[in-house]
Amino acid sequence: MGSTAATSGAKLETLDRVVIRFAGDSGDGMQLAGTQFTATTALVGNDLATFPDYPAEIRAPAGTLPGVSGFQINFSSEDIFTPGDAPDVLVAMNPAALKVNLRDLKPGATIIANVDGFRENDLAKAGYQTNPLEDGSLAGFQVIPVEMTRLTRTALKETGLPQRTADRCKNFFALGLMYSLYSRPMEPTLRWIEKRFARNPEIARANQLALKAGYAYGEASELFPSHYVVPPARLEPGTYRNISGNSALALGLVAATQKAGGRMVLGAYPITPASDVLHELSQLKNFGVVTFQAEDEIGAIGAALGASFAGSIGVTVTSGPGMALKTEFLNLAVMVELPLVVVDIQRAGPSTGMPTKTEQADLFLALFGRPSDSPCIVLAARSPADCFETAYEAVRLAVRHMTPVVLLSDLSIGAGAEPWRLPRIEDLPDIPVEFRTDPDGFLPYARDPRTLARPWAIPGTPGLEHRVGGLEKSDGAGHVSYDPLNHERMTRLRTEKIARVAEDIPPAEPFGDDDARLLVLGWGGTYGAIAGAVRRARAEGRRVAHVHLRYLSPFPGNLGEILDRFDRVLLPENNLGQLALVVQGRFARPVIPLNKVQGRPFREQEILERILELA
């Protein structure tokens, strides 16, 4: 860290990284402020990771603890993996926001509080007997009181807007203040406001005035003795955009459809946190995408499977409760052996659970949640940007092996964001699609000798009439069969077909020390925390390695050999040990679980502490 004199008279300090959390009532616009800060930070060139946290209730009582909405961003001049363990700065718009987030702050963290939101009734709603800004309870922090509401009203007085409307602009005042303190430009957000509120120029002007007022206050106020600069990160050359996991997933599906030269049909029913994928894809109809919002989850997957039968790439997207409803049609997709991509963006359960909190506890559901021996491919994305590649791979495998693929993401990945380097279209793997057209010797369940995939025959093709359905089919001909030996053969063929997918996926690659005796194994959204913890442990001289799995069914062919090279295997999961149980059963070796089911992702420090105990 270095420091120089700032033009405003404040000291200008250079930081390697900063973690900021915006928090307020669900109507305070904290998600919008965080999203705009993120977009601007991406343009500046920092590496970043974000984590939005919002209440489950659409309109929780204003000013209460359940109604608090937050947005955290970790931005850095170095490579980073997570939204940060603990905020350096908390922007708290009211007492409830302070109370909910106080436990997460670093010792000595900065709290920028909207003092106008700390009235007596606001304190009572949050359960405070006295004002924490005045009673000394925040002595361990740097508290900076700012009259955000009053200053916003003053800045907008000339607009003549009603006071209630003007007060809604205070999130942009807070955003402008943070732009000033961390040397971010206002221009990208000013342009965004103009475009976003083009049909309501009065509101556009009010938000722009509030943003500028917050920036000016940060520059002029003596409450801020220092301003800060976080230099751009040294990223791999290329064209980047800031992207959320759900957006990357949607683009991966579209790119795969384009490469396959076909059409994608998405059948979906709105559900948190998966609805964004439906929203994204509904805007991409010019790229061979058809979106269908069904009456329920069952209708959604039924439409997707029907589209696959008709020669399109069928996709459905949901979360845990929706997966439970889709089980019967997913089971049918296994039986009729058609390509289908089922996306599960996991959230905390069971049942409705905590729909706006993250978890990765649907692994058993993805692997085994169907009647009988009913195997399918299961993949897991590890980060927002990785959702593109994983979605693309899901389509490739589904088409090549004529089988459903379950793609697991989670709320922290889907709603989180990070820089994504745009791939070159010519570098993406080919996805050849071959429809059977020759009726000579056609059998609907004849199999490719290498993959065991059956032919994809579109209904209506002359001479290729065949039946599909949930009843067991005879080997080859596809007629309904109750023969016991045929049923066993077909069951084993379907199982072997999935096993052979291991020949079509890359081997697992350990990262870290070749002579390490401790392996940290992970999957899905734990990647960032594990990768960061392993890097910190190695920096402290501990010998440790890390393997992160994208392919969960089947496993990479070399996974057993890798596990045998280590004395201990630590497996962090945001569940009660689902992959640990599967790995122990599959490879007959003990695994040390590290489990967390709090609706929150792991922090690097939590995993690091366990590594240091074991390494």
Side-chain angles (χ1 to χ4, degrees), residues 46-64:
N46 296 127
D47 195 12
L48 63 89
T50 70
F51 182 65
D53 186 19
Y54 42 91
E57 292 82 2
I58 295 175
R59 272 296 177 188
T64 63

Side-chain angles (χ1 to χ4, degrees), residues 427-509:
D427 292 339
L428 296 174
D430 290 331
I431 303 180
V433 175
E434 296 182 10
F435 296 114
R436 178 67 182 253
T437 57
D438 183 5
D440 188 29
F442 169 70
L443 289 174
Y445 284 87
R447 299 185 181 277
D448 181 285
R450 180 167 178 265
T451 65
L452 298 181
R454 78 173 185 90
W456 198 354
I458 298 178
T461 305
L464 301 187
E465 295 82 4
H466 62 287
R467 81 173 59 178
V468 296
L471 293 173
E472 183 63 279
K473 303 298 182 290
S474 63
D475 184 19
H479 303 307
V480 174
S481 173
Y482 290 93
D483 180 79
L485 294 180
N486 175 79
H487 173 58
E488 179 162 340
R489 174 171 173 76
M490 293 295 283
T491 300
R492 291 186 183 277
L493 280 171
R494 288 187 289 263
T495 301
E496 175 63 20
K497 182 172 74 166
I498 301 303
R500 290 192 184 187
V501 175
E503 301 171 6
D504 194 25
I505 63 177
E509 295 185 12

Side-chain angles (χ1 to χ4, degrees), residues 112-151:
I112 300 176
N114 174 25
V115 293
D116 296 325
F118 282 70
R119 299 164 301 184
E120 186 174 343
N121 63 328
D122 299 313
L123 295 168
K125 289 179 183 179
Y128 279 114
Q129 302 299 318
T130 59
N131 190 336
L133 303 181
E134 302 171 353
D135 62 11
S137 61
L138 302 178
F141 304 98
Q142 181 184 3
V143 179
I144 300 178
V146 179
E147 297 174 296
M148 295 188 197
T149 304
R150 183 187 67 81
L151 292 169

Side-chain angles (χ1 to χ4, degrees), residues 329-510:
F329 265 115
L330 181 53
N331 204 205
L332 177 61
V334 172
M335 175 62 87
V336 300
E337 300 187 48
L338 284 170
L340 177 71
V341 177
V342 180
V343 181
D344 177 5
I345 302 175
Q346 302 162 96
R347 70 190 203 188
S351 187
T352 306
M354 298 192 294
T356 61
K357 308 302 177 184
T358 195
E359 205 163 83
Q360 53 173 174
D362 291 352
L363 179 60
F364 282 169
L365 181 61
L367 292 173
F368 312 120
R370 294 169 295 282
S372 191
D373 291 294
S374 184
C376 64
I377 299 170
V378 178
L379 309 180
R382 71 183 190 183
S383 69
D386 185 59
C387 284
F388 177 90
E389 290 187 21
T390 308
Y392 192 97
E393 178 74 341
V395 174
R396 184 187 75 84
L397 292 176
V399 169
R400 175 168 170 75
H401 296 273
M402 290 294 287
T403 188
V405 176
V406 177
L407 192 168
L408 295 174
S409 177
D410 64 48
L411 188 148
S412 67
I413 297 174
E418 65 181 350
W420 172 54
R421 188 167 70 95
L422 274 63
R424 299 195 312 162
I425 299 300
E426 56 269 27
D427 292 339
L428 296 174
D430 290 331
I431 303 180
V433 175
E434 296 182 10
F435 296 114
R436 178 67 182 253
T437 57
D438 183 5
D440 188 29
F442 169 70
L443 289 174
Y445 284 87
R447 299 185 181 277
D448 181 285
R450 180 167 178 265
T451 65
L452 298 181
R454 78 173 185 90
W456 198 354
I458 298 178
T461 305
L464 301 187
E465 295 82 4
H466 62 287
R467 81 173 59 178
V468 296
L471 293 173
E472 183 63 279
K473 303 298 182 290
S474 63
D475 184 19
H479 303 307
V480 174
S481 173
Y482 290 93
D483 180 79
L485 294 180
N486 175 79
H487 173 58
E488 179 162 340
R489 174 171 173 76
M490 293 295 283
T491 300
R492 291 186 183 277
L493 280 171
R494 288 187 289 263
T495 301
E496 175 63 20
K497 182 172 74 166
I498 301 303
R500 290 192 184 187
V501 175
E503 301 171 6
D504 194 25
I505 63 177
E509 295 185 12

